[in-house]
Amino acid sequence: MKRAVVNLTSLRPIWSIPEDYIPTIRKAFGKGWDVAHVTTPVSSDGDGSGGSTEAIDAVTGAEVYFGWGISPDVVRAAGENLRWVHTAAAGVGGSLTVELRKSHALFTNSREIHAEPIADWIVAAVAFCARGFHGAMVARSEHRWAKPELAGLETPLRELKDLRVGLVGLGGIGRAAARRLSPLGMEVNAIRRRPTRRRPKGVSWVGGPGDILPLANKSDVLVIAAPHTSDTVSMVSEAVLSSLPHGAHVLNVSRGALLDEEALLRQLDYGHLGGCVLDVFSTEPLPSEHPFWGHPKVFLTPHVAGVTQRFWDRETEFIVDNIDRYLRGKPLRNIVNYSVGY
């Protein structure tokens, strides 16, 4: 009998698969499959982990593994039978170990599943920036009526339809954001690793990584939504930030490593940038002494842009569809390319 392991019980309840979803997965595999459900909670933060003793015991000889990432210990325990690994996380960097690469197992992730709520976060953050909420929040903390500065001749308030949004990354998150932003009247441009002539819906122009400075130059809001790889670390550098128009805003929903945070602080303090909204940071949790906490131009959320109560409906539907594809020998959705890192 073939074996599959479901290791999706998280330390955070909202990311822990409900018990009543397990029968759906078992049914999808059908007869001839033993589907083990691991109930020891593991970390689902970032790229996940998944190396509990229970998981290691359960995965011995398994052909399929579903988890919050996969640790080297789990890969080794599975042995040569391992053929398909799926992570419920969008990020995969923590799982791309030597052990997993040597296994030659297919590796899929959940980037499409997380895209919808993160795109909603992007829309909310763009509106927050456009309508001057940074200044309003500072005035509120000071018990100060800020109408003179917000309604003055040099008002920072903008209409959404007047904004140009630059997307650094045009994967599931970028495309979902474009589908929301464009109908609101915004011009949306983007860069991606491999630009093509075909533009996704809502995107006016698509360039490659080498076009990040021209993209910044014409972006009133720059959204960082590219995957974390060796090629994307610090790609939003001081040169990029200084190329943004005066008063522009920066949003980050990818990983903190893609953004030069010290350069961002300098550009904010110089007065070149109007503000930023950040959901991810180079160090998480963000240290209590970090200057982001008290900065008047910084609004932050604690890596929760992807949180939604609809996650397990979408994730289970995705898993079941990929199980069907796997059993029929069809191409799986969201296969991770080991060579490029996502």
Side-chain angles (χ1 to χ4, degrees):
M1 181 171 286
K2 295 185 176 183
R3 187 170 182 79
V5 174
V6 179
N7 185 21
L8 294 171
T9 303
S10 171
L11 293 167
R12 301 191 185 280
I14 198 165
W15 298 125
S16 191
I17 187 169
E19 287 280 351
D20 54 357
Y21 286 71
I22 300 299
T24 302
I25 295 175
R26 286 197 171 111
K27 181 179 179 181
F29 275 108
K31 295 180 179 180
W33 283 84
D34 171 29
V35 180
H37 179 206
V38 177
T39 58
T40 300
V42 294
S43 174
S44 56
D45 289 354
D47 298 341
S49 58
S52 70
T53 300
E54 184 187 1
I56 291 171
D57 290 341
V59 80
T60 302
E63 182 175 324
V64 177
Y65 178 84
F66 302 142
W68 287 104
I70 186 167
S71 70
D73 288 344
V74 173
V75 177
R76 284 191 292 266
E80 296 180 356
N81 283 344
L82 191 62
R83 294 290 181 270
W84 172 29
V85 173
H86 173 73
T87 177
V92 298
S95 295
L96 294 178
T97 59
V98 172
E99 289 80 2
L100 183 60
R101 292 175 187 271
K102 286 184 176 179
S103 75
H104 301 295
L106 292 170
F107 186 30
T108 58
N109 73 346
S110 299
R111 57 184 180 266
E112 293 178 1
I113 311 305
H114 293 275
E116 295 303 314
I118 293 177
D120 287 350
W121 183 99
I122 291 171
V123 173
V126 169
F128 183 99
C129 295
R131 301 309 298 165
F133 281 15
H134 281 98
M137 289 290 291
V138 172
R140 177 181 177 275
S141 68
E142 298 172 350
H143 295 213
R144 178 170 53 84
W145 189 250
K147 190 168 185 177
E149 61 201 69
L150 293 177
L153 291 177
E154 299 300 321
T155 178
L157 307 187
R158 304 281 299 276
E159 291 187 28
L160 294 179
K161 67 180 179 62
D162 294 331
L163 295 180
R164 299 166 299 172
V165 178
L167 300 174
V168 179
L170 198 55
I173 294 171
R175 294 194 302 272
R179 289 196 300 269
R180 288 160 168 77
L181 299 171
S182 181
L184 295 175
M186 285 171 260
E187 176 187 322
V188 180
N189 300 297
I191 60 170
R192 63 187 308 173
R193 184 174 65 90
R194 291 190 301 178
T196 62
R197 291 184 178 181
R198 293 183 61 187
R199 298 190 306 271
K201 184 177 180 180
V203 180
S204 299
W205 170 85
V206 180
D211 297 312
I212 190 169
L213 290 179
L215 177 74
N217 189 252
K218 57 182 179 181
S219 297
D220 301 302
V221 181
L222 189 71
V223 181
I224 306 169
H228 178 193
T229 70
S230 58
D231 292 332
T232 61
V233 170
S234 299
M235 70 182 301
V236 182
S237 62
E238 186 133 31
V240 173
L241 296 171
S242 61
S243 295
L244 289 164
H246 179 78
H249 291 78
V250 175
L251 315 183
N252 192 2
V253 292
S254 174
R255 291 290 187 268
L258 276 70
L259 171 65
D260 185 335
E261 294 176 342
E262 292 185 1
L264 174 64
L265 283 167
R266 286 193 292 271
Q267 294 297 323
L268 291 170
D269 290 339
Y270 293 161
H272 177 62
L273 296 180
C276 64
V277 184
L278 310 173
D279 185 59
V280 291
F281 309 88
S282 57
T283 300
E284 295 185 7
L286 188 67
S288 59
E289 68 276 9
H290 198 287
F292 279 156
W293 285 110
H295 202 289
K297 292 184 177 181
V298 176
F299 187 85
L300 58 86
T301 55
H303 203 151
V304 293
V307 172
T308 171
Q309 294 184 349
R310 298 184 61 187
F311 174 75
W312 285 111
D313 289 335
R314 292 192 182 112
E315 178 70 3
T316 304
E317 181 180 352
F318 176 84
I319 287 174
V320 167
D321 179 60
N322 255 359
I323 290 172
D324 178 66
R325 291 167 179 261
Y326 181 79
L327 297 179
R328 293 191 297 121
K330 301 296 184 181
L332 302 183
R333 292 162 57 194
N334 284 16
I335 292 180
V336 173
N337 186 324
Y338 285 104
S339 64
V340 299
Y342 63 90

